[in-house]
Amino acid sequence: MNTETTTTHVKVTRFSGGRKRNLLAAGSLLALTGALIAGGPASADEDPYNDDMLMKTCNGEPASTGAMEGSCTFEVQGETPLPLEWVRYGEPLSNCNVGAVSDLKLTLGDVKSFAQSWTTGGGVSLNIKDVVSIEASGGYTETRTTTNERRAEVTAVPGYKNAVTAGTEYVEQTGRIRVDITVYEFQGGDGYSQSTETHYIDDVKRKAPTGHFETGQDNVPCSEDFQVPVG
């Protein structure tokens, strides 16, 4: 499986007066130097590597939000299979008219998409876009969103209603997101050296569809509710 990386356009620069960040789009080193000096020193209590700033970098947000230049990779440390999640596909077939004596048959179905989701410490939802690489050993790199088509002929006997269903398989992966920030060391004059500084967003969980699904039907009496939700 191939991994993907993303690069945004804010520089992190170090020099003798302390670390400063240019919140403008990347330009020439000379222009960058001028912007940094004009911007003044960073606040003493400002942490450019807090989870919020790192998330902005991973989502490729504009430089004005505090996003930095770097790449992000989800490092999988554990994986747990989850129960199938069942939903109905398409409208149900009902044979609930008073006095009905004949079976009804109809081909039903639909197409549904199922996406990955992310949470961190305490179950807080993370809005992570598809710009974070998944390390190759983590699997499911190419199935962040899976699309299932389910169509079948169903039969509803008098007094019953029937629907097409399918169950989608997910796994829950636990780990951390490694954020490799590009750092430029000011060498004096117009000179800079480039290196990488690594930071982490810890306690991350990813719920991902595996691409596997199973099919079924939800056949119930007209007086009862369907057991499988619409989804």
Side-chain angles (χ1 to χ4, degrees):
M1 296 184 183
N2 297 322
T3 59
E4 306 165 17
T5 58
T6 181
T7 301
T8 53
H9 302 289
V10 176
K11 309 292 186 185
V12 173
T13 305
R14 292 174 176 161
F15 45 125
S16 57
R19 183 177 298 140
K20 302 180 182 179
R21 288 177 295 139
N22 176 23
L23 301 183
L24 303 174
S28 68
L29 290 177
L30 181 59
L32 174 63
T33 304
L36 286 166
I37 294 173
S43 170
D45 58 359
E46 179 183 7
D47 179 9
Y49 303 120
N50 61 44
D51 284 358
D52 181 60
M53 292 298 188
L54 295 176
M55 281 295 305
K56 290 176 180 179
T57 297
C58 292
N59 280 336
E61 293 191 20
S64 59
T65 69
M68 296 166 279
E69 178 179 325
S71 62
C72 301
T73 302
F74 180 50
E75 298 181 343
V76 179
Q77 299 168 333
E79 182 174 294
T80 303
L82 299 175
L84 294 177
E85 294 190 8
W86 290 85
V87 295
R88 301 203 309 264
Y89 280 63
E91 296 296 325
L93 175 63
S94 298
N95 196 355
C96 298
N97 290 335
V98 176
V101 295
S102 300
D103 295 350
L104 297 180
K105 292 186 178 182
L106 189 64
T107 297
L108 307 174
D110 201 353
V111 177
K112 292 182 179 290
S113 294
F114 304 89
Q116 65 180 352
S117 60
W118 302 79
T119 57
T120 188
V124 178
S125 178
L126 290 178
N127 180 27
I128 296 181
K129 302 175 184 178
D130 282 351
V131 295
V132 176
S133 301
I134 312 298
E135 64 178 12
S137 62
Y140 314 113
T141 305
E142 298 174 4
T143 56
R144 299 178 185 191
T145 299
T146 184
T147 300
N148 297 335
E149 181 175 4
R150 170 75 171 120
R151 302 187 190 278
E153 183 182 81
V154 300
T155 299
V157 302
Y160 277 75
K161 54 189 178 182
N162 202 353
V164 171
T165 64
T168 298
E169 182 183 66
Y170 288 86
V171 295
E172 182 180 78
Q173 297 174 326
T174 56
R176 61 185 183 177
I177 296 176
R178 187 185 75 245
V179 188
D180 295 317
I181 301 296
T182 301
V183 176
Y184 295 84
E185 190 79 20
F186 183 52
Q187 301 295 316
D190 295 334
Y192 288 82
S193 64
Q194 180 177 330
S195 61
T196 299
E197 186 170 287
T198 299
H199 297 266
Y200 293 94
I201 303 172
D202 293 311
D203 192 18
V204 175
K205 293 182 179 179
R206 175 186 181 233
K207 178 183 175 184
T210 67
H212 171 75
F213 78 112
E214 299 180 8
T215 61
Q217 295 184 10
D218 194 5
N219 189 33
V220 298
C222 293
S223 59
E224 297 181 7
D225 294 332
F226 284 109
Q227 298 178 5
V228 178
V230 175

